[in-house]
Amino acid sequence: MRPEVTLAIDTSAAHCAAALLFRGREVEAFEEMATGQAERLMPMVEALLAGQGLGWPDVTLLAVGTGPGNFTGVRIAVAAARGLALGLGVPLVGVTSLQALRFGHEGALACLDARRGAVYVQGEGAAALAEWEELSGFSPAFTVGYRADDLALRFGGTVLPTPSLVLNIARVAAAGQGGAPAPFYLRGADALPPSDPPPVIL
Amino acid sequence: MVLTLLGIESSCDDSAAAVVRSDRAVLSSVVEGQAALHAPFGGVVPEIAARAHAEKLDGCVARALAEAGVGLADLDAVAVTSGPGLIGGVLSGVMLARGIAAATGLPLVGVNHLAGHALTPRLTDGLEFPYLMLLVSGGHCQFLMVSGPGEFRRLGGTIDDAPGEAFDKVAKLLALPQPGGPPLEAEALKGDAKRFALPRPLLDRPGCDMSFSGLKTAVLRARDALIAEHGGLRRQDRADLCASFQAAVAAVLAEKTRRALAESEAPVLAVAGGVAANSVIRAALQGVCEKAGVGFTAPPLRLCTDNAAMIAWAGIEKLQAGLVDPADLTARPRWPLDAMAAPMIGSGKKGAKA
């Protein structure tokens, strides 16, 4: 049996990131970038693989960060990962950023900046989009991610250092805890029905 | 050597994948529309379209391969629409294609969506260059002189709405379902095309440019006058409005086609796009061609509206002509086919839209 090689990619925020788990080793590539992930992602992954003496056919499990985050960014990695899975014929799992932040810390409250005064949060229950000011009802053992210090002051718990998102995405997948490789938006598409009603037909 | 390509299309509201051979065999053509998703909004919502593409496209590819009875190993390249269009959908298609290409080592060909339409008559009818193409759809309306796989000269086009867009908007004004083309055509059958004197925009100006936005406004005014008079829109009035509107669009397209044929001296006219399925418009265009003594061809509807077979075919033509350029793989919302022509729409800092 060939050794397990897990490849994770993530472009759900202003970055382009990839990670490899194989033979007990963990390596990652990370670049901050607001735009250009579509062009950068594949060359970055190819360099990461080549740096470890690996190629595409060596990959046995794919993982992709599904957000929540930048809509377009999430789709860039998800679409690429689906193409890779189709081409390589290997399984693909999706891992949300909140799942990745909480990995290894069951009682953690994870938080991501959702802009416009809102945050994406996940504690014991399901992930949610919420106003920062209106967060309530948490009693976490740990806090992690965006404004983790403030969360710990408000709700208690120990502040965890922010982990590498893409490495944790790979770890979640390798641990068999991934989900569907579909974008996880948490926020609607912001489309409004037409304002002018149709005429009455006599 | 016979080439076999996978094509991927996602520039508007159809997720599509197809397998096509260079001997003009369409082995499969899968199109998954999104009409129901956008219907409540009265038009295509870009973010909703992008979300659907991201979830559906890889399934379309798998189905296209299965229906064609080929595996990725049987392919010679992957062709993908990289513009112009709604950028969210285009990006989903391009990234899916990049993933497939990376995993398989297959070459990747970035295709202009408009080139896909413009080259379709060569796939369906084996048409020789040169010919005049009238692309008339929900998002586009232009006359293109097609002289080679990468040689397109735009003779004119709409300066505002595309006719398909006008059909949709007028259908909405008249409480008809979306997409508006087929129901509007059905209503028009019951109506009097001469009842309302709607404008024929830009017919009084020389050249092949068109405008359809004012026509839509004229329908709105006529509708509001009828509603004010009767307290609602009567069915016969609606049918007459539909027939009058459709006649106006047909008249504008016919006259501008006559001019484009005269200017280009093309031996044949090919039409593509969903609006070409309208039988009144099609008959008007055929009539113009008969009078001018030039040939007329319209690909079958399934290859005439958005699909991926045309993208695979355009990819084949690009490969065979040695026109593959890695820069064409960058997803872009704007990408005029005729780079030399003055921009018509979206002439701002981002450049011409199409």
Side-chain angles (χ1 to χ4, degrees):
Chain A
M1 209 183 97
R2 57 182 181 152
E4 291 291 320
V5 176
T6 302
L7 168 67
I9 57 176
D10 183 63
T11 56
S12 62
H15 62 243
C16 191
L20 276 173
L21 307 187
F22 71 109
R23 292 191 187 130
R25 267 200 272 182
E26 300 186 334
V27 290
E28 71 173 305
F30 181 92
E31 291 174 21
E32 280 188 29
M33 58 175 71
T35 59
Q37 290 101 325
E39 273 65 49
R40 187 69 191 107
L41 182 60
M42 288 300 172
M44 174 189 256
V45 176
E46 273 166 14
L48 183 69
L49 284 166
Q52 302 302 316
L54 298 172
W56 291 109
D58 296 312
V59 175
T60 57
L61 175 64
L62 285 163
V64 62
T66 56
N70 179 284
F71 296 165
T72 301
V74 167
R75 283 191 288 265
I76 286 174
V78 167
R82 287 180 177 225
L84 287 170
L86 202 65
L88 295 172
V90 302
L92 164 67
V93 297
V95 179
T96 75
S97 304
L98 294 163
Q99 242 184 315
L101 284 174
R102 297 180 77 238
F103 180 69
H105 296 90
E106 277 303 299
L109 174 61
C111 184
L112 287 164
D113 185 8
R115 309 282 172 92
R116 309 180 221 169
V119 286
Y120 301 113
V121 288
Q122 186 168 24
E124 301 291 327
L129 171 66
E131 296 294 315
W132 170 260
E133 296 298 336
E134 290 165 14
L135 288 177
S136 66
F138 295 107
S139 49
F142 306 97
T143 63
V144 63
Y146 177 68
R147 295 183 73 173
D149 295 344
D150 292 330
L151 282 175
L153 284 176
R154 269 167 83 176
F155 302 112
T158 307
V159 178
L160 295 173
T162 304
S164 157
L165 204 57
V166 73
L167 263 182
N168 270 15
I169 289 167
R171 290 172 182 142
V172 170
Q177 294 169 13
F184 186 68
Y185 298 109
L186 276 185
R187 194 172 236 156
D190 239 357
L192 294 172
S195 49
D196 44 337
V200 177
I201 302 298
L202 301 176
Chain B
M1 189 184 95
V2 175
L3 300 174
T4 307
L5 263 74
L6 168 69
I8 299 173
E9 155 67 30
S10 55
S11 66
C12 189
D13 61 344
D14 289 299
S15 308
V19 179
V20 175
R21 276 198 323 232
S22 56
D23 61 2
R24 294 176 38 211
V26 178
L27 301 186
S28 65
S29 180
V30 172
V31 180
E32 285 194 24
Q34 308 173 352
L37 293 177
H38 302 284
F41 305 101
V44 175
V45 181
E47 175 62 19
I48 291 177
R51 289 183 176 200
H53 287 305
E55 305 224 2
K56 278 189 187 172
L57 262 181
D58 59 335
C60 291
V61 169
R63 253 181 71 200
L65 292 170
E67 285 179 19
V70 302
L72 290 167
D74 302 315
L75 298 175
D76 294 294
V78 178
V80 62
T81 301
S82 47
L86 300 174
I87 190 66
V90 172
L91 255 179
S92 292
V94 167
M95 291 315 292
L96 180 73
R98 281 185 196 264
I100 293 170
T104 55
L106 286 168
L108 208 46
V109 188
V111 168
N112 183 309
H113 176 83
L114 302 172
H117 279 301
L119 295 172
T120 299
R122 293 174 48 75
L123 166 66
T124 54
D125 297 85
L127 204 60
E128 296 290 328
F129 298 120
Y131 54 89
L132 180 69
M133 160 63 59
L134 168 58
L135 173 59
V136 59
S137 68
H140 303 283
C141 182
Q142 49 187 291
F143 291 106
L144 289 165
M145 190 62 192
V146 187
S147 312
E151 286 177 61
F152 307 97
R153 187 165 61 90
R154 197 188 61 216
L155 302 177
T158 181
I159 59 168
D160 42 53
D161 290 357
E165 195 177 354
F167 267 89
D168 285 345
K169 286 176 177 171
V170 167
K172 203 169 103 188
L173 291 175
L174 302 179
L176 292 168
Q178 299 287 318
L184 200 152
E185 184 178 359
E187 281 299 306
L189 271 179
K190 300 175 245 167
D192 174 6
K194 297 206 171 84
R195 162 118 182 257
F196 297 97
L198 297 174
R200 274 35 174 180
L202 295 190
L203 273 200
D204 54 340
R205 310 261 186 89
C208 303
D209 286 346
M210 293 162 279
S211 161
F212 297 97
S213 163
L215 188 51
K216 172 198 68 197
T217 309
V219 171
L220 175 63
R221 293 225 178 86
R223 179 202 76 165
D224 287 348
L226 289 164
I227 291 176
E229 194 179 339
H230 305 291
L233 189 60
R234 297 185 301 185
R235 287 188 182 274
Q236 189 55 50
D237 292 341
R238 176 165 78 173
D240 294 344
L241 264 177
C242 286
S244 301
F245 165 76
Q246 183 177 262
V249 174
V252 170
L253 286 171
E255 170 56 18
K256 295 291 177 170
T257 298
R258 190 191 63 75
R259 293 184 199 176
L261 282 171
E263 186 184 325
S264 67
E265 297 181 351
V268 56
L269 172 75
V271 297
V275 178
N278 180 289
S279 51
V280 171
I281 290 173
R282 185 181 284 232
L285 297 176
Q286 275 172 315
V288 168
C289 287
E290 263 171 45
K291 265 193 191 161
V294 306
F296 174 89
T297 180
L301 189 60
R302 64 190 186 87
L303 295 175
C304 197
T305 53
D306 284 357
N307 68 88
M310 68 177 191
I311 302 305
W313 177 257
I316 287 170
E317 294 241 28
K318 277 183 94 166
L319 270 175
Q320 288 178 333
L323 292 172
V324 176
D325 181 348
D328 288 348
L329 280 168
T330 302
R332 67 199 83 176
R334 292 154 188 256
W335 187 6
L337 259 188
D338 182 350
M340 309 297 286
M344 307 194 60
I345 302 175
S347 53
K349 62 181 177 180
K350 289 176 182 166
K353 183 174 163 192

